[in-house]
Amino acid sequence: KNQVEQSPQSLIILEGKNCTLQCNYTVSPFSNLRWYKQDTGRGPVSLTIMTFSENTKSNGRYTATLDADTKQSSLHITASQLSDSASYICVVSEAGGGNKLTFGTGTQLKVEL
Amino acid sequence: DTAVSQTPKYLVTQMGNDKSIKCEQNLGHDTMYWYKQDSKKFLKIMFSYNNKELIINETVPNRFSPKSPDKAHLNLHINSLELGDSAVYFCASSQDYGLQNTEAFFGQGTRLTVV
């Protein structure tokens, strides 16, 4: 069964600090991996999409890494801001056509003063 | 301009009622989706529509029926609502079917509470 597991489940950090969120998956065959940010009461917003051949991808202060061999990904947030407080969801797409996305349950990040 | 818009944002209704949630996208995308997010924040696809054609129905009860009057709209109709239907429902759209490397844009969600 295709699964996406994220850790930690929740995280509290001080403003200005860095943090790294983890994602492990068993989805196969693999197509791509996405990280979404979901603010409370809002829909998910895409941060990055990475294919099999991409090891790292940045979007401003967000940097995602992918190790397709170990089936692991991370999302690193640099110099966190209060507005980074949200749920971060790892989503893996299965190859072969069709909308076969497997969502992780997310990491709830809270950035405090 | 809101790319993917859903209405209503909140919906409280009694068991056994029939309700609809509307979704519209102004991105010119070919494919639209409905997702259900349960209390554990887990998102699961319910339907996807490509050019008015249902592509996937992930073992959703037939009380749920998507209706697409045109490419820009995908409404979700639910018959005989049950307590377990309480969740947040998200509409999404993408340029093409498959989401291989294309963005999926989500609406703000509709929080459905069945009492």
Side-chain angles (χ1 to χ4, degrees):
Chain A
K1 182 180 178 182
N2 288 335
Q3 287 186 315
V4 176
E5 295 184 352
Q6 294 186 239
S7 62
Q9 189 173 19
S10 62
L11 182 62
I12 301 175
I13 61 174
L14 294 177
E15 187 181 28
K17 297 297 184 182
N18 304 334
C19 67
T20 300
L21 314 179
Q22 301 291 340
C23 174
N24 296 333
Y25 63 91
T26 61
V27 176
S28 181
F30 174 85
S31 175
N32 60 63
L33 183 145
R34 308 149 185 261
W35 281 94
Y36 281 90
K37 178 186 178 188
Q38 184 175 16
D39 293 311
T40 301
R42 311 282 294 182
V45 175
S46 180
L47 296 175
T48 63
I49 301 177
M50 288 188 294
T51 60
F52 183 88
S53 59
E54 295 176 296
N55 294 323
T56 184
K57 203 162 202 178
S58 292
N59 177 0
R61 295 180 295 103
Y62 300 102
T63 299
T65 65
L66 173 64
D67 186 333
D69 292 329
T70 61
K71 297 186 177 181
Q72 294 179 326
S73 175
S74 67
L75 180 69
H76 186 75
I77 304 175
T78 305
S80 61
Q81 300 176 358
L82 295 179
S83 60
D84 292 331
S85 296
S87 178
Y88 291 84
I89 304 172
C90 177
V91 184
V92 181
S93 176
E94 183 180 337
N99 177 29
K100 297 182 180 179
L101 298 181
T102 302
F103 286 76
T105 53
T107 292
Q108 189 67 41
L109 173 67
K110 186 174 182 181
V111 181
E112 296 181 336
L113 288 171
Chain B
D1 288 341
T2 303
V4 181
S5 59
Q6 299 176 227
T7 54
K9 187 172 182 179
Y10 300 97
L11 182 56
V12 181
T13 188
Q14 290 185 328
M15 274 182 9
N17 284 350
D18 302 338
K19 291 293 179 184
S20 292
I21 306 172
K22 296 184 177 181
C23 179
E24 176 182 5
Q25 54 97 1
N26 62 6
L27 299 167
H29 286 168
D30 291 328
T31 307
M32 296 182 71
Y33 313 84
W34 275 105
Y35 286 85
K36 179 181 180 181
Q37 188 171 43
D38 60 26
S39 58
K40 296 182 179 179
K41 307 296 183 184
F42 187 65
L43 271 159
K44 188 172 182 180
I45 189 170
M46 300 176 70
F47 303 103
S48 58
Y49 252 79
N50 177 266
N51 291 328
K52 299 187 181 182
E53 188 175 352
L54 179 65
I55 299 171
I56 298 174
N57 182 338
E58 292 283 331
T59 63
V60 173
N62 57 15
R63 296 182 296 103
F64 291 79
S65 55
K67 299 196 185 298
S68 180
D70 54 59
K71 197 172 79 166
H73 297 82
L74 182 64
N75 304 324
L76 182 64
H77 190 74
I78 315 169
N79 291 327
S80 303
L81 278 157
E82 300 176 357
L83 292 177
D85 297 332
S86 296
V88 181
Y89 292 84
F90 286 97
C91 177
S93 74
S94 67
Q95 178 59 46
D96 54 31
Y97 170 56
L99 285 178
Q100 294 303 307
N101 290 307
T102 57
E103 287 281 358
F105 292 84
F106 286 80
Q108 65 181 2
T110 295
R111 181 173 293 278
L112 171 65
T113 304
V114 182
V115 297

